[in-house]
Amino acid sequence: MKITLGLVFVGCLLFLSGVALFWSYAKDAPKLEDAKLESPNSSKFFAANGDLFQEVGAEKRETIEATEIPRLLEDAIISVEDRRFYEHVGVDPIRIVGSVISNVSTGGMQGGSTLTQQLIKLSFFSTDASDQTLERKAQEAWMAVQLEKEKSKQEILTYYINKVYMSNGLYGMQTASKAFYGLSLEELNLPQTALIAGLPNAPSYFDPYANPENAKSRRDIVLFSMRENGKITDAEYEEAIATPIDEGLKPLSTTNDSWKYYDNYLTEVINEVEEKTGKDVFTDGLEIYTNLDIDAQKHLYEVTNSDTYVQYPDDEMQVAATLIDAKTGKVTAQIGGRNIEEGTRLGDNLAVNTKRDVGSTVKPITVYAPAFEYLDVSTGKTIVDEPYKYVGTNTPVQNWDNKYWGTMTLRTALIESRNVPAVKLFNEVGADKIEDFLSRLGIQYAKIQQANAISSNTVDQDGTKYGMSSLKLAAAYAALSNGGTYNEPQYVNKIVFADGSEEVEAFKTPGIKAMEETTAYMVTDILKGVIESGTGYNATIQGLYQAGKTGTSNYTEEELEALNAASTVFPDSTFVGYTVNYSLAVWTGYRDQKTPITNEYSGVASDVYREVMQHVSASVVNEDWVMPKGLTRIGRELYLEGQYVAPPVAPPVESKPAESSSESSESSSSSTTSSSESTTPSSSSSETTPPAVSTQPPAVEPTPTPSTEEVPPTVPETPVSPETPATP
């Protein structure tokens, strides 16, 4: 008896404690407001200058009145979401107990929320799973009970039908019905109604356009629930589940003309918000402050989607480009495709998702920067361009012109994009060090290989293909621009939540030291020459201080044979360049890699770069990079402090009287030559003796024929002096 009384007493204490805890949570619940029950929880996107440029969830919404709810839709919603909707008072104890038992026995996550609670959550709280705390659950339950006292069941059901998110930027079931089928809710048949009723559970996952198999599975669950609830017959059920999920679906269209400018950028913003905060922009009513430069974004769109600035070979050629603030890593503009189908929402972003080969644009960051970083060599170090095989193989390293230019400086080797020197340097630095270096630039290969010295394209044994996106490329080159500091690219800088609180810390990306400042400057100094007189001359912008690198990929001999094409076609062409202010990477090619770029259009990537970089640079100060401490310039070559040792002064040579004017001239010429040779700077023991200026190709230079690698496109006649003031 005493034990029984004790248990009762303990039970009463637990009950009272539970009531007290519940009330402590519930008393702080938000007040019920009709405006929040009716309005969409739209998320607003703001540009870097604070301007609102897009809103998700604020599109025109088709609503219905309580008297207009079709009976078939009502039966579907209640059967699958809340079978005792008309019996409970806002919360359903039976449903709660049942979900607990089910979750314990199956390990599942079945919810116990009623339709009323779901409406409260959609209207007043975040829908993110991490926010479903005991406190929030208590507040939802309390508010649901209060709502049931103020509103009728039909009003609550109507709010729910008009409120829920339905995928593809659509809110409300009537809106989705007209967008999906071109019909009002009352005109839908049974399987169509079931699909609409089931979508709010997980709109994107059950989207019939993007995930038809998932959509059919969810639709059939709704139909099963309706049969179990006695709302449809067995025959109706069997006929409905046999109906194809796409029957009656119409292509989606949008009336938001401005969306096309921002689609790819918004895709990454939404992904970043979800990744760093777990929030859903479609349901949580956020204010998202992005790093977007609206003017740059629109100009980039116009350059890539018209022939006003750049001449494209056809409408199918694709462009992927990323513009990054070189000092901060903020992504200010991005385009992930060209001539995208009208009405596309959150489409494929080639600027981030592509795994295509960016060719020799990897050389500065995969070979030359690591060489300067780890080997302490100068830009004047000489290296021999000669027949060479990948170490441990019989595979020869081929240059773009199938020729060898002999001894040259590292500066010349990079400006002329010679492959043999690049692979030699790769082996001299070592794969492990290069892999570590690249990781600090946000680039990771499953296994770095010798071929990565001249190309980003790798296929692992499991078939995984590694390329490099314009996003990663622009971010890596930005580190060269800002003195060796790498900033993780970021699209968002702040979020304001529905309750007024802010999230800033999650979007702070402190830079990391990726390389010495001297390393970044040496590479930059060379890459300035690529644009001034090398393969990147097509990117010249008069007076602008800039550096950059070209890159093209190659077809194999077998692929060329299959294409019945000459060696002057290739699958990818890339250009990446930067100033003190911006880093911009542009990839061009076709979605079908077997569709080749001809030599005539090899300069499209640098054309796009030139037009965009010139535009964005017109509104910022045109600055040159300042040579950091620790470097010395001899001629045009750069040496680390203490690395260059001046040769001893030659003793005076007694001159003989000139026998004739011609002999005097000859002697003078000979003396001048001797003097020039004797002042050639010597180097540290790790290098051969560098000349005062870079070694040029052999006296009889090869005449390169158009090829698949690093052929300079047709360009203006003379480069512009960097001292010339910038011309917008």
Side-chain angles (χ1 to χ4, degrees):
M1 183 65 176
K2 290 183 179 180
I3 295 176
T4 303
L5 289 174
L7 290 174
V8 171
F9 179 73
V10 171
C12 289
L13 282 178
L14 291 174
F15 175 75
L16 291 174
S17 298
V19 170
L21 181 63
F22 178 85
W23 176 245
S24 71
Y25 289 152
K27 66 181 177 63
D28 296 325
K31 293 182 180 180
L32 291 173
E33 299 177 40
D34 285 356
K36 288 191 175 182
L37 291 168
E38 294 170 351
S39 65
N41 284 334
S42 61
S43 288
K44 298 178 180 180
F45 296 85
F46 297 89
N49 64 356
D51 288 351
L52 175 68
F53 70 92
Q54 199 57 245
E55 193 167 357
V56 171
E59 293 84 355
K60 182 179 179 182
R61 177 185 297 238
E62 298 278 352
T63 60
I64 60 173
E65 301 295 330
T67 55
E68 298 174 323
I69 301 174
R71 184 55 183 268
L72 192 61
L73 178 64
E74 182 178 344
D75 289 343
I77 294 171
I78 291 174
S79 295
V80 75
E81 294 290 351
D82 190 358
R83 196 170 295 185
R84 281 175 293 279
F85 176 66
Y86 288 108
E87 284 78 46
H88 62 64
V89 295
V91 293
D92 185 356
I94 297 175
R95 182 181 176 91
I96 292 173
V97 172
S99 66
V100 170
I101 294 174
S102 174
N103 293 341
V104 170
S105 61
T106 65
M109 290 295 291
Q110 180 178 320
S113 298
T114 63
L115 273 175
T116 313
Q117 287 176 276
Q118 291 181 46
L119 176 61
I120 291 294
K121 180 165 62 177
L122 287 170
S123 303
F124 298 93
F125 299 109
S126 165
T127 59
D128 187 66
S130 63
D131 290 330
Q132 304 310 302
T133 61
L134 184 60
E135 180 179 4
R136 284 290 176 88
K137 285 292 185 182
Q139 292 176 351
E140 285 175 15
W142 173 255
M143 295 177 71
V145 172
Q146 301 309 306
L147 184 62
E148 292 265 1
K149 292 178 181 179
E150 295 185 15
K151 305 293 182 182
S152 70
K153 292 288 185 180
Q154 285 301 109
E155 286 178 308
I156 292 171
L157 182 60
T158 305
Y159 280 133
Y160 176 84
I161 289 172
N162 290 334
K163 181 85 175 180
V164 288
Y165 178 59
M166 300 294 289
S167 80
N168 295 291
L170 304 171
Y171 287 78
M173 293 186 178
Q174 180 79 311
T175 311
S177 179
K178 291 189 175 182
F180 288 5
Y181 300 108
L183 303 171
S184 62
L185 287 168
E186 63 183 9
E187 297 175 295
L188 299 181
N189 60 28
L190 175 58
Q192 292 169 341
T193 298
L195 184 143
I196 293 292
L199 265 179
N201 181 265
S204 297
Y205 186 75
F206 296 131
D207 177 5
Y209 294 92
N211 302 301
E213 292 183 2
N214 297 343
K216 184 180 188 309
S217 176
R218 177 62 178 170
R219 182 201 67 179
D220 292 351
I221 288 174
V222 176
L223 292 168
F224 177 82
S225 299
M226 294 179 73
R227 185 183 68 174
E228 291 295 295
N229 201 26
K231 301 302 181 181
I232 60 174
T233 65
D234 289 347
E236 289 174 321
Y237 169 75
E238 294 295 340
E239 182 180 356
I241 64 172
T243 304
I245 194 66
D246 59 351
E247 185 172 288
L249 281 179
K250 296 182 177 296
L252 288 176
S253 62
T254 177
T255 57
N256 189 340
D257 292 335
S258 67
W259 186 281
K260 64 184 180 182
Y261 296 113
Y262 314 115
D263 184 67
N264 296 131
Y265 195 94
L266 284 171
T267 297
E268 303 314 315
V269 168
I270 292 169
N271 290 341
E272 187 171 308
V273 169
E274 183 176 356
E275 177 186 346
K276 295 188 176 181
T277 70
K279 303 302 180 185
D280 186 339
V281 302
F282 297 104
T283 58
D284 289 347
L286 311 172
E287 290 185 357
I288 303 167
Y289 291 82
T290 75
N291 299 317
L292 178 74
D293 181 327
I294 293 178
D295 177 66
Q297 181 67 30
K298 287 190 173 181
H299 187 72
L300 176 57
Y301 180 90
E302 293 299 333
V303 168
T304 55
N305 286 278
S306 73
D307 291 328
T308 304
Y309 304 90
V310 176
Q311 187 66 43
Y312 296 95
D314 51 50
D315 291 340
E316 300 302 316
M317 174 178 265
Q318 292 301 309
V319 174
T322 301
L323 179 69
I324 285 181
D325 184 319
K327 298 174 182 176
T328 64
K330 293 178 179 180
V331 181
T332 58
Q334 187 172 78
I335 201 80
R338 180 170 170 267
N339 292 332
I340 305 303
E341 184 178 353
E342 189 71 25
T344 297
R345 292 294 185 97
L346 307 182
D348 184 27
N349 185 1
L350 296 177
V352 174
N353 301 332
T354 186
K355 293 184 181 294
R356 299 292 283 271
D357 188 353
V358 296
S360 292
T361 59
V362 300
K363 287 176 181 174
I365 55 178
T366 305
V367 177
Y368 289 88
F372 296 139
E373 184 79 1
Y374 297 117
L375 303 181
D376 291 337
V377 296
S378 73
T379 63
K381 168 184 166 67
T382 55
I383 195 166
V384 183
D385 181 16
E386 61 187 346
Y388 185 76
K389 295 180 180 178
Y390 290 104
V391 174
T393 76
N394 287 319
T395 305
V397 179
Q398 300 288 346
N399 286 314
W400 60 265
D401 56 359
N402 293 319
K403 296 180 181 179
Y404 305 98
W405 288 14
T407 302
M408 60 183 61
T409 60
L410 296 189
R411 179 183 296 274
T412 297
L414 179 52
I415 288 177
E416 300 298 339
S417 201
R418 308 304 291 171
N419 288 345
V420 169
V423 178
K424 280 186 172 183
L425 272 182
F426 180 98
N427 292 320
E428 191 173 347
V429 175
D432 291 344
K433 288 183 177 179
I434 289 174
E435 189 171 332
D436 179 64
F437 184 88
L438 289 175
S439 69
R440 297 198 296 273
L441 292 174
I443 298 169
Q444 292 182 327
Y445 288 94
K447 182 181 179 182
I448 195 76
Q449 302 172 22
Q450 293 177 70
N452 294 135
I454 59 176
S455 165
S456 66
N457 194 34
T458 303
V459 179
D460 281 353
Q461 292 180 351
D462 64 358
T464 302
K465 184 177 181 181
Y466 295 88
M468 197 174 297
S469 67
S470 72
L471 176 70
K472 285 188 175 293
L473 202 55
Y477 271 66
L480 295 174
S481 172
N482 70 8
T485 298
Y486 171 78
N487 293 289
E488 179 186 347
Q490 60 197 86
Y491 297 84
V492 180
N493 63 70
K494 182 178 73 172
I495 287 181
V496 178
F497 301 113
D499 61 3
S501 62
E502 298 183 355
E503 177 59 75
V504 178
E505 290 300 319
F507 301 102
K508 287 184 178 179
T509 56
I512 64 170
K513 183 179 179 180
M515 68 191 84
E516 295 294 335
E517 190 175 2
T518 52
T519 296
Y521 186 85
M522 292 167 84
V523 175
T524 296
D525 196 64
I526 295 175
L527 295 185
K528 290 167 75 174
V530 171
I531 294 179
E532 290 168 2
S533 60
T535 58
Y537 189 51
N538 188 50
T540 298
I541 300 170
Q542 185 175 12
L544 183 68
Y545 296 108
Q546 59 174 341
K549 185 71 182 74
T550 55
T552 54
S553 63
N554 301 316
Y555 288 114
T556 64
E557 292 183 5
E558 292 77 11
E559 288 171 330
L560 286 172
E561 186 176 346
L563 291 171
N564 192 27
S567 60
T568 53
V569 299
F570 36 87
D572 311 278
S573 178
T574 302
F575 187 86
V576 56
Y578 56 98
T579 65
V580 168
N581 299 294
Y582 295 106
S583 177
L584 173 59
V586 182
W587 167 88
T588 59
Y590 291 85
R591 288 185 182 274
D592 182 356
Q593 195 171 4
K594 294 178 181 178
T595 302
I597 300 173
T598 62
N599 192 57
E600 180 184 359
Y601 293 98
S602 63
V604 169
S606 54
D607 284 340
V608 173
Y609 167 88
R610 185 185 63 249
E611 295 300 327
V612 175
M613 185 61 84
Q614 179 170 280
H615 181 83
V616 298
S617 296
S619 57
V620 294
V621 178
N622 177 33
E623 297 178 287
D624 198 359
W625 290 272
V626 177
M627 187 168 70
K629 294 180 180 179
L631 285 178
T632 301
R633 188 183 296 276
I634 307 296
R636 71 169 182 168
E637 303 302 350
L638 295 169
Y639 298 85
L640 293 172
E641 209 165 73
Q643 187 180 56
Y644 172 73
V645 179
V649 178
V653 178
E654 184 178 351
S655 59
K656 296 179 180 180
E659 295 181 6
S660 66
S661 60
S662 61
E663 288 178 359
S664 175
S665 175
E666 239 175 39
S667 174
S668 175
S669 174
S670 174
S671 175
T672 301
T673 302
S674 174
S675 174
S676 173
E677 290 174 351
S678 68
T679 57
T680 301
S682 62
S683 67
S684 63
S685 58
S686 63
E687 324 177 20
T688 55
T689 303
V693 295
S694 66
T695 304
Q696 299 300 321
V700 181
E701 297 185 8
T703 303
T705 55
S707 76
T708 62
E709 176 62 25
E710 308 307 339
V711 184
T714 304
V715 294
E717 292 183 0
T718 57
V720 179
S721 168
E723 283 74 25
T724 306
T727 302

